[in-house]
Amino acid sequence: MSEIQSDTLRTRGVDVMDYDRSTVTPGIVHLGIGAFHRAHMAAYVDRLLAKNPSWGIIGASLRRPDTRDALEPQDFLYTLAIRDASGTKPRVIGSILDVLDANTQRAQLIETMADPAIRIVSLTVTEKGYCHDPSTGELDEEHPDIVHDLAHPETPISAPGIIVAALERRRQRGLAPFTVMSCDNLPSNGKTAGRIVRRFAELRGAGMSLADYVQNVSFPSTMIDRIVPATTDADRSIVAEITGLDDAWPIMTEPFTQWVIEDDFPAGRPPFETVGAELVEDVEPFELMKLRMLNGSHSTMAYLGYLSGYQYVNEAIADAAIHRLVHGLMTEEAMPTLPMSRTTLEAYRDQLLARFANPALKHRTWQIAMDGTQKLPQRLLGTIRDRLKATQPFPRLALGVAAWMRYVTGIDEAGQPIDVKDPMATRLRQIADEAGRDPEKLANGLLAVTEVFGTDLPQVAVFRDTVTNHLKSLLENGAKEAVQRLG
Ligand code: CS2
């Protein structure tokens, strides 16, 4: 971007980066260059490049080339539009220097990751990108992508396969490993990533030296938080109107942003603390709070909201009964399981309720409803396990679980099809088809999916009964009525 262009943008109120992009060199490879990364980590890195130009980002998409296709003609610059009731504040982000499409540029991607200048490989590949069993957090050794990558270690398609291929190359060259930083919504995301990558390296064999080398890789955990709805054409027009720029893929987000990082980067890291991130010794309490309060509420609202006919989260939370449900879910059921003080948790809850109500964010319930099999364990079921241990009730969490069961039948309350997106969608559909509209059969069939419920929960009578009763109510009376009845 030229000086003149930057000045024109500034006069239009656009926040433009304060560094010369030609001096920036790559230090980070990011796998999964979707909207979330571009609204979150890339925005933090953008703020520190003026003083630390060796931390530019090379992004990679593992599935589709669409991000590369959209951003390449605009030199990988894009607009981040921060929106709330007071308006839209656009910012141009320049921290992404290139985007590689793993399918067509696999060799280049692995070679880039093996470059000594790359000291961090970060990830937002979503829950399913870890190719794990969501209920145990262990690598799913029968996952088709893992089976493929073990048979073809030089041309991997999965995130663990790609990471291990690059680590193996660094090992052979006598280079130190990069740090692997997961930025996904998983419990102990660093530990989970580490367990999966190490197991994959073991299975790859190649002598113990690779597995030993991978033992020395560090996997800091992080808690990342920013709500990022998928970009629509209407969003593109809003951004074009304000900036005068024709951005093929702007990103829309909220003013709130949070990043808590475990400080474990033996290969070095940018001074993330200078741009608002919190570097701590133990991220787990933060992760648990976020997963159980924000994401637990989100998933519950997504299923109940979708079934109630609400397209967007802000519409769902404006419904008094849903608001009461979400408030109660956080206060009565999630907060008592968390290690923070009551005051901290109450403030967090109130802030979340306000964030959900942001009228400028068009966050679809359908978007959040996606991949429920991968999300339920850490968002709702972990909290339920803790409630059971404490012999405390969990009616709202159970309604959330039942609403997922109702949702994955694939037919809404008006008899219209639901586009259920989930890696296990076919299996879920089969279970639903066999059960028909019989709540007992449907609940039994879905509770037998051990990847979601484990082997413990389905054996707990009070859990089975509470979920089944809610499911019955959802099927008989519909979602709005079922939420009302909770009081
Ligand atoms: C959402 C999250 O899509 C979803 O499942 O719950 O992406 C949520 O918006 C983020 O975790 C917020 O930080």
Side-chain angles (χ1 to χ4, degrees), residues 207-276:
M208 272 324 280
S209 34
L210 172 61
D212 284 347
Y213 181 82
V214 175
Q215 283 299 335
N216 293 321
V217 176
S218 83
F219 294 88
S221 281
T222 64
M223 182 272 245
I224 62 274
D225 188 5
R226 195 164 219 187
I227 294 175
V228 192
T231 307
T232 63
D233 286 339
D235 296 333
R236 286 187 181 85
S237 312
I238 292 171
V239 168
E241 209 167 291
I242 303 176
T243 61
L245 295 173
D246 194 11
D247 186 339
W249 204 334
I251 304 290
M252 318 305 278
T253 193
E254 60 174 340
F256 182 92
T257 179
Q258 189 179 11
W259 198 10
V260 189
I261 308 172
E262 184 185 345
D263 200 359
D264 180 18
F265 293 81
R269 63 163 172 84
F272 289 127
E273 67 281 8
T274 61
V275 287

Side-chain angles (χ1 to χ4, degrees), residues 36 127 185 224-228 254 290 294-295 298-299 355 363 367-370 375 379:
F36 187 67
E127 296 86 347
N185 273 326
I224 62 274
D225 188 5
R226 195 164 219 187
I227 294 175
V228 192
E254 60 174 340
K290 193 229 162 190
L294 189 163
N295 299 113
H298 247 178
S299 289
R355 289 170 65 196
H363 201 190
Q367 186 186 339
I368 302 167
M370 235 181 261
K375 293 174 176 175
R379 295 181 176 207

Side-chain angles (χ1 to χ4, degrees), residues 293 327 330-331 335 345-353:
M293 290 183 66
H327 186 283
M330 290 199 267
T331 316
M335 278 161 51
L345 293 169
E346 279 172 357
Y348 185 63
R349 173 201 63 203
D350 293 346
Q351 192 179 33
L352 285 177
L353 290 166

Side-chain angles (χ1 to χ4, degrees), residues 41-301:
M41 180 172 165
Y44 282 85
V45 171
D46 189 66
R47 289 279 188 231
L48 53 78
L49 288 177
K51 289 205 186 101
N52 308 275
S54 69
W55 288 106
I57 301 170
I58 306 278
S61 21
L62 304 193
R63 295 280 168 262
R64 288 180 306 268
D66 48 357
T67 306
R68 180 179 169 79
D69 293 348
L71 297 189
E72 192 178 24
Q74 53 196 60
D75 200 17
F76 304 101
L77 290 165
Y78 64 93
T79 321
L80 180 62
I82 298 163
R83 311 198 69 206
D84 65 9
S86 69
T88 302
K89 295 187 189 63
R91 182 177 150 195
V92 175
I93 305 283
S95 52
I96 298 177
L97 305 176
D98 196 358
V99 175
L100 303 175
D101 164 36
N103 281 322
T104 54
Q105 297 172 292
R106 199 173 321 275
Q108 191 185 340
L109 171 61
I110 295 169
E111 192 51 33
T112 306
M113 290 165 75
D115 186 318
I118 299 301
R119 286 146 287 161
I120 296 176
V121 169
S122 49
L123 295 100
T124 46
V125 291
T126 79
E127 296 86 347
K128 60 179 177 284
Y130 289 76
C131 307
H132 70 319
D133 176 328
S135 82
T136 62
E138 301 288 341
L139 180 71
D140 173 3
E141 297 176 19
E142 271 137 46
H143 191 291
D145 293 358
I146 296 301
V147 173
H148 171 276
D149 289 0
L150 288 170
H152 309 279
E154 300 303 323
T155 49
I157 53 178
S158 72
I162 292 172
I163 290 171
V164 173
L167 286 170
E168 169 63 353
R169 200 161 294 178
R170 289 177 86 108
R171 186 191 69 83
Q172 284 169 357
R173 293 182 188 166
L175 296 171
F178 42 69
T179 297
V180 178
M181 178 170 63
S182 165
C183 295
D184 281 295
N185 273 326
L186 292 168
S188 317
N189 55 11
K191 286 207 184 84
T192 304
R195 197 165 48 242
I196 287 162
V197 168
R198 280 191 214 107
R199 179 70 189 141
F200 183 87
E202 260 169 45
L203 291 172
R204 238 191 84 163
M208 272 324 280
S209 34
L210 172 61
D212 284 347
Y213 181 82
V214 175
Q215 283 299 335
N216 293 321
V217 176
S218 83
F219 294 88
S221 281
T222 64
M223 182 272 245
I224 62 274
D225 188 5
R226 195 164 219 187
I227 294 175
V228 192
T231 307
T232 63
D233 286 339
D235 296 333
R236 286 187 181 85
S237 312
I238 292 171
V239 168
E241 209 167 291
I242 303 176
T243 61
L245 295 173
D246 194 11
D247 186 339
W249 204 334
I251 304 290
M252 318 305 278
T253 193
E254 60 174 340
F256 182 92
T257 179
Q258 189 179 11
W259 198 10
V260 189
I261 308 172
E262 184 185 345
D263 200 359
D264 180 18
F265 293 81
R269 63 163 172 84
F272 289 127
E273 67 281 8
T274 61
V275 287
E278 297 158 72
L279 274 295
V280 300
E281 246 174 62
D282 185 10
V283 175
E284 273 176 42
F286 295 93
E287 282 185 313
L288 212 59
M289 176 178 81
K290 193 229 162 190
L291 285 168
R292 292 186 173 186
M293 290 183 66
L294 189 163
N295 299 113
S297 300
H298 247 178
S299 289
T300 303
M301 265 190 293

